[in-house]
Amino acid sequence: MAINLESLKGTYDRYPDEWATWKKLMEVAGETAEEFGFRELNPPSIERQELWTEKEEDSVTDEMYAFTDKGDNKITLVPEETPTRARLIQRRKDLKTPVKWYNTSKRWRYEDVTRGRDREFFQGDFDIFGIESVEADAEVIAAAATIYQKLDLDDRVRFLINDRQLLESILESHGIEKTEEAMKVVDDKEKLDREEFLEDLMDRGLSREDAEQVDELTDISGPILDQIDDLREKAPEEVQKSVDRMESLGETLESYGVEYMCRIDLSIVRGLAYYTGLVFEAFDSEGELRALFGGGRYDELVGQFGDRDVPAVGFAFGYSPTIELLKKEDRYPLKDVETDVYVLTVSESVRDVALDYATKLRKKGLSVETDLAGRGFGSQLGYADDMNAKRVLIVGERDLENDEVTMKHMDSGEEENLGRDEVLEHLRSEGLF
Ligand code: HAM
């Protein structure tokens, strides 16, 4: 029987050339997390289904890779890590808050596969537990912004920020009935044209007049601080505090120097049920790709899993859509697979010397390759080129008799003779280590 060699739909065979960019992106996210003091954790990839099914159902519940194991336990591959983290916080009552955690790992959802939406995918989650104030909201958003600044994509992305409670109260105070139903449609607003949006609202039982009002009210969008007056006017008395909070979020983001990337947008709702207030999502500025990351405040989720109430805020960074953005911006690959030095043996007789160089250079942290196949000069050089070697150190018998070796710069093609003992110093002076 012929075996199907394709990977499963929505899963990807990432060969080293491609993986190098993913790895680089993970490094940028990890480095940013560390700079902000987030600690890396490593929870399981399979969990009990109840972590997702016992709370209010949402978009993820239907997409789980769920199964019953041999012990008759109802298990799922983790579709998103937030409930796992809530479980971990609930379990360890000794943890002093704030707790700041990040990690990047695989998640699984049975989704319709599109550009930037896979069935097996990487997310980088950043969360702060135990802080109710806006400072934590601003810090997670600033951390996300820093990733895009480091990638030099900060002017190509837009962070759209909203507060679910604020939106709900605005809709209610304008006499809209069925606000909960309306908010589910608002969540899809960016994917629908106006008529489709109104139709969907009416399908959920809203009158045309109410649907049009929802459309108008959720159109509020712009730099946070510019929109505050408008928001204050539209928001009922009981949620003026949420408007104040949005204002201080705008001010704090300004202090972080990231406010230019952020906008308030009343059409952001998010599909996950556990968010209690702040919600945010990032998109490419042309709006072509699916969300680059998403997050928000979920002050009640931890409390649903036990007797400890811990407020929380965080987001998950999406690797697939960010890679798509890098491609769109002609910034892909971020990194090539490279070998620092290929040590070329002109003949079998110099193999000992070549291996000695390789060992010494590896001890300096360089990636070094030598011939494993007994190939000739030309084919070794060809291989070094294929492997993107920066330098080729040519070790030949005749050179060695003069106490010399040859260093070839693969970029320029230039060659220079070096004293046998000058190799390390030479590579150091050229910044290879
Ligand atoms: P989410 O909006 O479901 O939120 O996912 C966050 C991001 O992960 C999305 O914006 C997207 O970039 C990426 N993502 C989601 N699904 C896929 C997929 N099928 N393929 C590729 N990328 C995907 C959450 O998951 C929340 N747990 C985030 C969070 C953390 N909220 C608070 N803390």
Side-chain angles (χ1 to χ4, degrees):
M1 189 186 79
I3 288 179
N4 184 347
L5 298 180
E6 296 279 312
S7 65
L8 292 171
K9 186 169 180 189
T11 72
Y12 299 91
D13 300 322
R14 296 197 178 93
Y15 287 80
D17 285 355
E18 189 185 354
W19 183 244
T21 293
W22 288 72
K23 203 65 207 293
K24 178 74 195 165
L25 201 50
M26 287 173 193
E27 262 168 48
V28 173
E31 199 182 271
T32 306
E34 302 277 342
E35 283 165 14
F36 278 82
F38 288 81
R39 302 283 154 90
E40 189 171 8
L41 84 163
N42 189 359
S45 301
I46 55 172
E47 285 268 26
R48 293 184 188 84
Q49 286 172 24
E50 63 191 20
L51 280 184
W52 286 269
T53 54
E54 286 297 301
K55 57 179 188 50
E56 197 185 330
E57 298 221 342
D58 55 33
S59 53
V60 158
T61 331
D62 287 340
E63 296 169 349
M64 297 193 306
Y65 276 86
F67 58 97
T68 305
D69 72 7
K70 289 182 179 167
D72 232 9
N73 304 300
K74 288 193 176 335
I75 304 290
T76 180
L77 297 184
V78 168
E80 51 118 4
E81 206 173 88
T82 310
T84 296
R85 291 182 176 208
R87 176 177 73 73
L88 265 64
I89 291 286
Q90 190 61 254
R91 257 197 96 192
R92 282 280 303 276
K93 304 210 175 3
D94 59 309
L95 288 175
K96 294 219 168 51
T97 56
V99 170
K100 293 164 69 172
W101 281 341
Y102 88 95
N103 82 343
T104 287
S105 53
K106 281 187 175 173
R107 327 264 192 253
W108 297 264
R109 294 184 199 173
Y110 198 86
E111 288 232 38
D112 290 338
V113 176
T114 55
R115 192 169 160 212
R117 281 294 178 276
D118 317 320
R119 291 191 176 159
E120 177 179 75
F121 58 99
F122 284 97
Q123 274 186 333
D125 279 57
F126 290 57
D127 290 284
I128 302 180
F129 295 91
I131 305 286
E132 211 161 349
S133 74
V134 78
E135 311 304 330
D137 303 358
E139 187 169 274
V140 291
I141 293 173
T146 305
I147 299 175
Y148 289 94
Q149 284 173 335
K150 286 184 185 199
L151 295 171
D152 211 9
L153 287 174
D154 48 330
D155 57 348
R156 314 305 299 161
V157 298
R158 224 184 273 141
F159 292 11
L160 305 183
I161 297 171
N162 194 12
D163 182 322
R164 266 192 192 174
Q165 270 179 5
L166 191 61
L167 173 64
E168 195 172 4
S169 310
I170 289 178
L171 295 181
E172 274 168 5
S173 70
H174 282 76
I176 312 271
E177 286 172 13
K178 304 197 164 62
T179 47
E180 222 170 275
E181 289 296 298
M183 285 179 49
K184 287 182 188 147
V185 182
V186 173
D187 188 44
D188 288 332
K189 189 173 180 184
E190 110 241 0
K191 296 179 218 146
L192 305 170
D193 67 29
R194 182 166 188 273
E195 217 31 60
E196 285 168 344
F197 180 64
L198 297 179
E199 288 288 332
D200 278 8
L201 284 167
M202 289 186 290
D203 286 348
R204 294 212 180 228
L206 274 80
S207 67
R208 179 152 191 114
E209 197 188 327
D210 274 4
E212 282 173 355
Q213 269 212 81
V214 171
D215 183 37
E216 195 185 315
L217 289 165
T218 52
D219 258 353
I220 293 186
S221 168
I224 300 177
L225 296 176
D226 292 0
Q227 297 300 317
I228 292 296
D229 289 346
D230 197 12
L231 212 55
R232 206 176 283 291
E233 212 174 279
K234 294 206 163 74
E237 193 51 42
E238 68 271 18
V239 287
Q240 288 299 326
K241 271 213 173 94
S242 300
V243 182
D244 294 343
R245 187 174 171 116
M246 188 58 81
E247 187 169 18
S248 49
L249 178 65
E251 285 162 1
T252 315
L253 291 171
E254 212 164 55
S255 310
Y256 273 108
V258 300
E259 209 263 350
Y260 69 99
M261 297 167 70
C262 304
R263 299 163 79 84
I264 185 165
D265 188 313
L266 255 57
S267 72
I268 298 297
V269 173
R270 311 247 313 117
L272 296 161
Y274 47 67
Y275 294 118
T276 49
L278 175 78
V279 277
F280 53 88
E281 249 175 340
F283 293 90
D284 65 298
S285 45
E286 276 139 30
E288 285 174 12
L289 300 168
R290 301 279 302 271
L292 301 165
F293 70 76
R297 182 161 273 286
Y298 51 104
D299 287 344
E300 286 159 20
L301 186 64
V302 177
Q304 286 174 20
F305 293 164
D307 54 13
R308 188 184 186 202
D309 271 327
V310 182
V313 64
F315 69 91
F317 175 80
Y319 284 87
S320 308
T322 303
I323 294 270
E324 289 302 322
L325 180 59
L326 286 168
K327 287 183 178 162
K328 189 159 96 84
E329 296 297 325
D330 249 347
R331 301 279 315 290
Y332 182 93
L334 267 186
K335 192 171 165 55
D336 290 317
V337 206
E338 278 176 339
T339 294
D340 292 316
V341 182
Y342 181 86
V343 185
L344 188 153
T345 43
V346 179
S347 61
E348 192 51 37
S349 58
V350 298
R351 191 144 187 85
D352 283 357
V353 182
L355 289 180
D356 188 48
Y357 276 124
T359 305
K360 287 194 172 116
L361 295 176
R362 285 178 183 141
K363 284 193 174 142
K364 294 293 173 198
L366 297 182
S367 73
V368 183
E369 287 193 77
T370 61
D371 178 42
L372 299 176
R375 286 189 275 205
F377 189 101
S379 108
Q380 286 188 57
L381 208 53
Y383 176 78
D385 197 31
D386 288 348
M387 290 296 110
N388 262 337
K390 293 180 195 152
R391 302 280 190 280
V392 173
L393 175 62
I394 303 170
V395 185
E397 220 170 68
R398 217 166 316 146
D399 270 357
L400 287 181
E401 279 166 16
N402 297 327
D403 254 350
E404 282 186 346
V405 288
T406 303
M407 187 68 83
K408 186 175 173 81
H409 289 236
M410 295 300 275
D411 271 352
S412 63
E414 274 169 32
E415 290 185 5
E416 55 187 317
N417 284 338
L418 298 175
R420 219 176 136 159
D421 298 332
E422 288 169 6
V423 172
L424 261 69
E425 196 38 52
H426 173 84
L427 292 172
R428 192 199 313 272
S429 72
E430 297 216 319
L432 268 84
F433 64 91

